[in-house]
Every structure is written in C-alpha cells, then in structure tokens.
Amino acid sequence: MKYDLIIKNVNAVLENEIKKSDIAVKGERTAGIYESGSQTDAAHIIDGSGKYLFPGGIDTHSHFFEPGPTYREDFYHGTQAAAMGGFTTVMDMPNTDPPVDNDEHFQMKKKKFSENGHVDFVIWGAALPGKLNHIPRLKQLGAVAFKAFTSYAGESYPYSKTIDILEGMEKVKSAGGIYAVHAENENIIAALRKRYADSTWSLEMHERSRPWYAELAAVGEVALLSRITGCPLHICHMSIPEGVELINEMREKGADITIETCPHYLLLDYKSFSNAGTFAEVNPPLRSRERVDRMWKYVADGSLDYMGTDHAPYTYEDKNPANLWDAPGGGPNIDIAIPMVLEEAIKKRGLNYIQMAKFISTNAAKRFGLYPNKGVIKIGSDADFVLIDMNREWSYSRKNCLSKTKETGFPYEGRKIGCYVEATILRGKVIYQNGKITVDAGYGKFIS
C-alpha cells in the first residue's frame, strides 16, 4: 500500500510505550505503526530521527474573542498560533460577546470558526443564571461542556450563585453534559478588592485580593454540589494544590470531577515575575513558588488531569488602564505552552513522556468524548500529531508569533526554551512546519 504520509524513525509516544517507529498515514487516519526504517512508500516522508511524536495537543481552554473584541485575537490568527504550538484541537470558551447561550449564538460561532479555523475545534456552551433552559438544545448542537463563573466575569456573563450552580448542574446532567466552573468565591474577592482599593496595584496585591482560600472555597462548594446532583464537573484552571487535594478527597467518595491547570500555574509565580506587572495578571492569580512546586506533584501522580492554556491576548492599552486594578486578567501562551511544559516536566523534573502525552492530550480526549479519534497515536485514530525536538534551544518572542496581537510585555518574552515544535499534523495533513502554516483557513473541523 502506498501511504499519504510516513514519519520515519521517530520515537512515537504511544499509550503504554515509547516505540521507535515508522508511523504511516492514509487519508485522515493513522494506518500503520511499523518497525523503524521499514517503510518508504509514501507521497510525503518526514524524517523524525531523534525526535518524539506525541498525539496532537488538545487545549481545553482557549479564548479567541470571536464574536467580540477581535482586535485582540480571532479564529484565523489564534488557530494558527495553536498549530504553531502543537495543538490540533482547541476548546473555545463560551464567554464571548454575545455568549454561547442559545441556538443562534452557537451557530454564529460555529460558522465563523468553520470559515476561519486552522485546527479542529470544540465549542462550549454557557451555563448562565436564568438561561439554563437552552442547555439541552446546545447539547444537541454539539456543546460538550457548559461553563459557569462563581465570581464576577463582566456584565454580559453573570456569575452563578449557589442555587444557580445547583440548578445548572441538574440541567447539564439531564442533558448528558459536563458542568465546568471558573472557581473563585465572589464574596471574598469583593470584600478584599474593597479593602485594598486604595493600595498600589502589584502582582502580589492582586494575589492578596484573590487569595488561595477564595479559590478553595469555591472549589469546595461546586465539588459538593457535583456530589449532590451527580453531575460531572470540570474545574477550570486550578492554581492551588489545596484545591487538588480537596478534589482528590471528593473523588475517593465517588465524585466525577476532573481538573485542568495552565502553564502559568506550573511555571510562573507572583514574586519572580513581578516586573511584568499587569501583563502577568491572570485569574485566578499567579501563586507563590512553593505552591507552583507543589502543583507539579499532582501533575506527576495524575491528579491534575490535563492542561488548558487559557490563551487570551490583550493589547498594551488593555493592560494599562488609568487604574491598574481595572486591568483584565489573561495572557497569551497557546503557541509555546507545550514546549515550555514538556521541557520543565521531562528535562527538569524527570516526568516521563507517556505521562505528559496523557496530560497534554489523551486525558482531555477521554473526558470530553473525543477518544479514540483524538488524543492517541493508534491505528484507526485521527492522524493528529506534534513532532517535538527535545534538544533544540530557541528564544521566544511574540514579535514572531502567529497571534493577531504581538505585544511583547508578557512574561515569556525572551525566554530560552530547550524544546521545539518541528511540525504539527492534523488528520494526516501537515498544518504547520518550519515556522509556517501550510493549510488554508477553514481546514479546521467542528467536533461534536
């Protein structure tokens, strides 16, 4: 058989082993996993010697601002940045303008994404107070998860109080979906923001105004409500080890809860990166170095299920309002999250390749119903791969990124990274290689 693509002599990170292989692709699927050096009959051959082939990354948490303030980012540019970073599937959050809270808004986002996306995509639905009756229809349309905030998230996306969460979980469970939460306690945050309103803003003050216990309090509440309702729960962007420990206790009692964290909670802390100012402001905030190191324990033992980037670029003007307390939380990293985290995990902390393939891809595919088409290198699965050189050092600058905005104030500017994305393959087609996107907009496909 003549294949469409063969990746030769590569260290393939399979589900249960690393195997030096020739990976063969026919059409959109993985068609063969052969002994290294045995296959040459293909229209296109990539030499993977000395490199590692992971299943394509799945970003469980991205913000492309479309529809909405697309001067920051949009599907066209944001999905190019995703491909550059080794992601083949992205899950776009529903807190857009308008939010994904009904049939019309879902279809609007799907159309824009389908026309402009370069990677496959999943659309989340909104779980908003007073708009829960739309959830069954959104599930029919293909929304896999439904997001709520327990803290203020803007006028167009009201946050959910206890009764809203309970009723939302009941509705989501009935529809067969997953309830997802940005977990920070609004009562604590509102009181502390008022207390510190006259203080000079800094990363440390930002963390003090949204402290670890505000996150833990919200995590505890939603975890308890998940147990009461039996609704599957997804915790977005966990930043504290105490939250992981609480969820582990709930899991032992039978709760169906998974946890996402982000690169910044594994790499950055508020003291070491204080000079970045509001460009390093995220919500939940950056924590202490001690908590960062403790988070890695839970990556290593699998308690932290997967990685979302929380990719959300902003401009200089956005991040520098007259009162810095009004600056938005968020930053870009979809184009470098995988190489940064793989370098830290494997080369600096001794985690293994199979663990990290699960963390960046497989676990998310299983949780959100994409497996075995996505998230694994396996015969018959989608040929979604990221080819990684674990020994190539390079310096990052947003001047060279594929995002729409190129602001260089964010914390990773100038960072030397000893891990490099050589190529990204989606459904058998090379979509990124040698610094360039190699497919047209619209190649990305909606995944229901």
Side-chain angles (χ1 to χ4, degrees):
M1 176 190 295
K2 184 166 184 175
Y3 294 108
D4 298 312
L5 171 67
I6 291 173
I7 305 170
K8 290 182 60 63
N9 303 316
V10 74
N11 297 303
V13 185
L14 309 178
E15 279 193 278
N16 299 304
E17 63 176 329
I18 299 172
K19 185 176 181 181
K20 193 170 183 181
S21 309
D22 290 350
I23 304 296
V25 174
K26 187 72 175 177
E28 297 190 344
R29 304 278 181 168
T30 303
I33 302 173
Y34 296 104
E35 182 180 344
S36 179
S38 66
Q39 301 298 309
T40 58
D41 194 9
H44 185 197
I45 293 177
I46 295 175
D47 183 6
S49 299
K51 300 178 179 67
Y52 288 82
L53 194 71
F54 285 82
I58 299 175
D59 184 0
T60 56
H61 196 130
S62 49
H63 296 274
F64 297 122
F65 297 112
E66 191 166 359
T70 53
Y71 68 89
R72 298 166 176 161
E73 187 69 290
D74 55 24
F75 295 142
Y76 178 81
H77 294 90
T79 56
Q80 290 185 60
M84 184 181 191
F87 288 103
T88 51
T89 302
V90 294
M91 300 186 180
D92 195 52
M93 293 295 101
N95 47 316
T96 44
D97 187 14
V100 185
D101 58 357
N102 60 35
D103 190 315
E104 178 188 357
H105 295 163
F106 185 98
Q107 299 289 11
M108 178 196 307
K109 177 174 275 195
K110 181 180 175 182
K111 181 176 185 295
K112 288 179 177 290
F113 222 138
S114 298
E115 292 171 348
N116 296 293
H118 297 80
V119 299
D120 286 353
F121 60 96
V122 172
I123 298 175
W124 282 32
L128 295 177
K131 294 186 176 181
L132 300 174
N133 288 334
H134 293 290
I135 285 173
R137 174 57 180 159
L138 291 172
K139 184 67 172 64
Q140 288 177 350
L141 292 170
V144 68
F146 299 85
K147 185 179 183 181
F149 282 75
T150 60
S151 58
Y152 180 77
E155 296 301 322
S156 65
Y157 209 94
Y159 74 91
S160 296
K161 299 179 181 179
T162 304
I163 189 63
D164 303 316
I165 298 166
L166 181 67
E167 292 175 349
M169 285 185 176
E170 290 173 342
K171 188 71 72 172
V172 169
K173 184 191 176 191
S174 176
I178 298 168
Y179 194 88
V181 179
H182 175 128
E184 293 181 279
N185 182 284
E186 176 59 23
N187 290 337
I188 295 172
I189 293 171
L192 293 178
R193 289 267 297 192
K194 185 176 180 180
R195 179 181 300 174
Y196 298 131
D198 294 330
S199 301
T200 300
W201 186 93
S202 67
L203 276 184
E204 185 169 359
M205 288 303 299
H206 179 61
E207 199 272 344
R208 197 178 297 180
S209 71
R210 305 178 78 107
W212 67 272
Y213 56 85
E215 185 172 358
L216 185 63
V219 167
E221 179 179 57
V222 297
L224 179 60
L225 294 175
S226 172
R227 280 197 66 205
I228 290 171
T229 61
C231 180
L233 174 64
H234 164 93
I235 302 292
C236 296
H237 43 52
M238 181 80 81
S239 73
I240 54 169
E242 294 90 346
V244 185
E245 292 154 6
L246 189 153
I247 294 301
N248 278 342
E249 292 176 10
M250 288 291 190
R251 286 164 164 167
E252 289 173 3
K253 296 174 182 176
D256 182 3
I257 306 174
T258 49
I259 316 171
E260 160 198 286
T261 193
C262 302
H264 33 281
Y265 302 126
L266 300 174
L267 299 169
L268 307 180
D269 64 85
Y270 64 78
K271 285 189 177 179
S272 302
F273 293 86
S274 59
N275 288 343
T278 53
F279 286 105
E281 178 184 337
V282 288
N283 294 322
L286 298 183
R287 304 300 184 185
S288 67
R289 176 50 53 177
E290 183 267 342
R291 284 196 168 89
V292 169
D293 289 335
R294 284 169 59 197
M295 288 288 280
W296 276 104
K297 171 187 174 183
Y298 296 119
V299 176
D301 73 8
S303 297
L304 283 164
D305 296 281
Y306 29 70
M307 179 177 74
T309 68
D310 206 1
H311 177 75
Y314 287 92
T315 64
Y316 180 88
E317 291 74 20
D318 289 330
K319 282 290 191 177
N320 286 277
N323 181 355
L324 293 184
W325 284 102
D326 296 330
N333 59 29
I334 202 169
D335 51 344
I336 50 167
I338 287 177
M340 285 193 305
V341 168
L342 289 183
E343 178 188 37
E344 181 74 18
I346 294 170
K347 298 175 73 172
K348 297 182 180 180
R349 295 181 181 266
L351 277 67
N352 68 57
Y353 289 86
I354 295 170
Q355 283 176 297
M356 295 313 295
K358 291 177 180 178
F359 185 61
I360 67 171
S361 186
T362 313
N363 290 345
K366 289 182 175 180
R367 178 57 161 174
F368 294 101
L370 312 182
Y371 179 91
N373 286 339
K374 305 287 188 186
V376 64
I377 300 175
K378 186 176 184 179
I379 294 174
S381 296
D382 283 3
D384 293 358
F385 315 126
V386 53
L387 182 64
I388 298 283
D389 187 335
M390 290 296 298
N391 295 303
R392 180 172 171 180
E393 187 173 281
W394 59 294
S395 294
Y396 176 75
S397 175
R398 280 195 58 75
K399 293 177 183 177
N400 304 318
C401 76
L402 298 180
S403 283
K404 190 170 187 177
T405 51
K406 315 288 186 183
E407 173 56 52
T408 59
F410 294 98
Y412 304 121
E413 186 67 21
R415 188 184 183 104
K416 287 192 180 344
I417 305 171
C419 176
Y420 186 77
V421 173
E422 290 276 351
T424 304
I425 296 101
L426 171 60
R427 287 180 280 109
K429 194 165 186 174
V430 177
I431 63 170
Y432 169 84
Q433 191 172 28
N434 298 323
K436 296 180 180 179
I437 296 296
T438 55
V439 293
D440 294 330
Y443 181 70
K445 186 165 66 175
F446 171 64
I447 308 295
S448 174

